[in-house]
C-alpha cells in the first residue's frame, strides 16, 4: 500500500465525524480534531492523526467521557483550577488556556492547573493557542512511566512535554514543543509500524541497555541519553510537579498505562498551562521589536555545510505550508487504520489527492 496525501479539510471532516459517531459531543470532537490536525499539519505525525484509533477505543470503552461537564474555578486573580470531568485532554487544555488567556489580558498573567483529564496529544497546540491571541503561552502534562531516570534501569517519568510559544509580528509564532525524553513514545510506535530503526541513544530494552530496534524497546532514555540524561530527568520531574502535584492528581508512575488493557477506568492525568501578556512587562512594540531582532540574529548565524540554522517552529511552519498545499500524508499503517474506521463507523473513506 503506497503512501497517499489527503486534503486538510477532508481529514478534519473524517476525524470529527468518527469522534461524533463514537459518542463525543460537539465541543470534544472540535477540540480533538483541532489538535490532531494541527499536529499533523506541522509534521508532528506521532501526535497527530495516528492517535485517532486509540482515542476512539478510550471513548468507546468509557475511559474518556464524551460529554464532560468541565468546571473552572478562579482561585486568585491570576490562577485557577479546571476539573476536566474525565473528558478529552484536548478540550481540557484548550479550555484551560482560554481561561488563562482571559486572566492574562486582565491582570497580566494567567495560570491554570487541570485535573481529572486524559492524554492531550501535542502540547504545542495549547501554547500556540495563547500566541494566536498575542500572548506568551506554556503548556505541560504528565503521563504514565515510559522514561528511565538517569542511570536508572526501569521507567519512572512519562515523556512529560514542555511547550512554549510567543507571538511574532508579521510572522508565525516562535514555537518550542519538546518531550523531556530523547523522543516521544509515540515515535517508537510510529517507527515500529513502518519497520524503521530508531536513532541511537533514545531508547532502552528491558535490561536498561540502549537499543535501536522498536520491538525491543521497554523504556525511553531521558533527554541527554546515557551520559547527560540527568538534564532530561530533571526537566521531566519539573513537569511532573507542575502537572500532577498542582492539580492534586497521581504522579505519572502511578497512572494506568495509556495503552491499556483497561480502557474503562479514567486515568486522572494533570496538565498545567500558563499565559503571559507581554504588555504587562514592557511596551508591546518593544517586545515585538526585540523578539524580531533576536530571531533575525539567530537565523543569520553561519550553518554547517548543507544545513540551515532554524528557530524553534521554523521547521513546523515550513511543513505546515507544504502540507496545506500538497495534502497530509498517511503511511501504510494509517491508511489501513483509517480504512477500518471508515467501514466500522460508516464514515466516508478518505480519498487521496490526485
Amino acid at each position: 500500500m503506497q503512501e497517499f496525501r489527503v486534503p486538510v479539510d477532508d481529514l478534519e471532516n473524517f476525524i470529527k465525524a468518527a469522534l461524533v459517531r463514537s459518542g463525543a459531543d460537539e465541543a470534544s470532537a472540535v477540540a480533538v480534531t483541532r489538535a490532531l490536525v494541527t499536529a499533523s499539519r506541522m509534521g508532528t505525525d506521532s501526535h497527530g492523526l495516528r492517535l485517532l484509533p486509540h482515542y476512539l477505543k478510550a471513548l468507546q470503552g468509557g475511559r474518556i467521557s464524551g460529554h464532560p461537564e468541565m468546571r473552572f474555578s478562579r482561585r486568585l486573580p491570576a490562577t485557577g483550577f479546571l476539573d476536566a470531568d474525565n473528558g478529552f485532554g484536548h478540550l481540557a487544555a484548550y479550555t484551560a488556556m482560554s481561561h488563562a488567556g482571559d486572566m492574562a489580558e486582565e491582570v497580566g498573567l494567567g495560570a491554570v492547573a487541570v485535573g481529572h483529564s486524559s492524554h492531550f496529544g501535542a502540547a504545542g497546540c495549547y501554547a500556540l493557542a495563547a500566541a494566536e491571541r498575542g500572548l506568551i503561552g506554556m503548556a505541560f502534562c504528565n503521563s504514565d512511566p515510559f522514561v528511565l531516570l538517569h542511570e536508572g534501569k526501569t521507567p519512572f517519568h512519562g515523556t512529560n512535554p514542555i511547550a512554549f510559544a510567543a507571538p511574532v509580528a508579521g510572522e508565525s509564532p516562535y514555537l518550542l514543543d519538546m518531550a523531556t525524553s530523547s523522543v516521544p513514545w509515540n515515535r517508537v510506535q510510529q517507527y515500529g509500524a513502518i519497520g524503521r530503526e530508531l536513532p541511537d541513544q533514545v531508547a532502552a530494552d528491558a535490561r536498561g541497555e540502549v537499543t535501536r530496534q522498536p520491538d525491543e524497546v521497554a523504556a525511553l532514555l531521558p533527554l541527554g541519553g546515557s551520559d547527560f540524561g540527568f538534564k532530561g530527568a530533571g526537566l521531566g520531574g519539573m513537569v511532573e510537579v507542575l502537572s500532577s502535584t498542582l492539580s492534586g492528581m497521581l504522579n505519572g508512575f502511578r497512572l494506568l498505562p495509556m495503552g491499556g488493557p483497561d480502557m474503562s477506568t479514567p486515568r486522572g492525568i494533570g496538565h498545567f498551562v500558563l499565559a503571559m501578556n507581554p504588555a504587562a512587562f514592557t511596551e508591546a512594540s518593544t517586545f515585538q521589536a526585540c523578539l524580531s531582532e533576536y530571531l533575525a540574529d539567530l537565523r543569520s548565524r553561519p550553518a554547517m555545510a548543507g544545513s540551515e540554522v532554524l528557530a524553534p517552529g521554523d521547521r513546523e511552519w515550513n511543513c505546515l505550508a507544504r502540507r496545506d498545499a500538497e495534502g497530509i500524508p498517511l503511511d501504510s499503517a494509517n491508511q489501513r487504520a483509517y480504512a477500518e474506521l471508515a467501514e466500522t463507523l460508516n464514515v466516508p473513506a478518505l480519498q487521496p489527492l490526485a
Side-chain angles (χ1 to χ4, degrees), residues 2-268:
Q2 299 297 314
E3 176 182 280
F4 64 76
R5 294 176 178 269
V6 298
V8 171
D9 289 348
D10 289 359
L11 181 61
E12 289 176 335
N13 292 336
F14 184 99
I15 292 175
K16 184 179 177 184
L19 286 159
V20 171
R21 289 286 177 88
S22 299
D25 60 22
E26 179 75 7
S28 297
V30 168
V32 176
T33 300
R34 178 184 175 188
L36 293 187
V37 175
T38 295
S40 283
R41 289 172 69 206
M42 293 192 297
T44 311
D45 293 315
S46 60
H47 283 62
L49 61 88
R50 195 195 67 79
L51 287 172
L52 178 63
H54 168 77
Y55 291 143
L56 295 181
K57 287 181 182 179
L59 177 62
Q60 294 163 353
R63 169 190 282 183
I64 297 175
S65 170
H67 296 260
E69 296 183 6
M70 297 187 180
R71 296 176 296 278
F72 175 70
S73 55
R74 188 169 179 176
R75 300 178 64 85
L76 289 171
T79 68
F81 176 79
L82 178 72
D83 184 333
D85 193 31
N86 301 314
F88 278 102
H90 319 72
L91 178 60
Y94 278 129
T95 300
M97 187 57 85
S98 178
H99 287 296
D102 290 344
M103 291 186 288
E105 290 176 348
E106 179 186 344
V107 299
L109 294 169
V112 179
V114 181
H116 306 290
S117 190
S118 62
H119 190 265
F120 72 3
C125 294
Y126 316 109
L128 182 60
E132 288 171 344
R133 58 191 287 187
L135 305 170
I136 294 171
M138 298 188 75
F140 309 87
C141 180
N142 73 331
S143 70
D144 47 316
F146 295 120
V147 186
L148 301 180
L149 293 170
H150 182 53
E151 298 186 343
K153 192 174 181 179
T154 59
F156 183 75
H157 286 137
T159 52
N160 293 16
I162 297 171
F164 174 91
V168 183
E171 298 181 31
S172 297
Y174 178 105
L175 176 62
L176 171 69
D177 185 359
M178 54 172 275
T180 51
S181 56
S182 293
V183 294
W185 184 260
N186 286 325
R187 187 73 52 80
V188 175
Q189 295 176 305
Q190 179 189 6
Y191 277 37
I194 61 177
R196 184 173 174 182
E197 191 175 62
L198 292 165
D200 192 22
Q201 291 295 314
V202 303
D205 61 20
R207 301 183 300 276
E209 298 177 356
V210 175
T211 180
R212 300 184 65 180
Q213 304 306 316
D215 60 351
E216 295 179 356
V217 173
L220 303 176
L221 295 181
L223 187 65
S226 298
D227 292 336
F228 300 99
F230 57 88
K231 297 182 178 181
L235 288 172
M238 178 196 76
V239 172
E240 189 68 59
V241 172
L242 290 172
S243 300
S244 63
T245 307
L246 281 182
S247 62
M249 296 292 101
L250 295 174
N251 70 64
F253 182 72
R254 297 175 179 268
L255 288 174
L256 288 173
M258 177 179 172
D262 185 348
M263 285 289 174
S264 62
T265 305
R267 298 174 69 218

Side-chain angles (χ1 to χ4, degrees), residues 284-296:
S285 58
T286 301
F287 169 78
Q288 286 298 339
C290 289
L291 181 54
S292 295
E293 183 180 75
Y294 161 71
L295 291 173

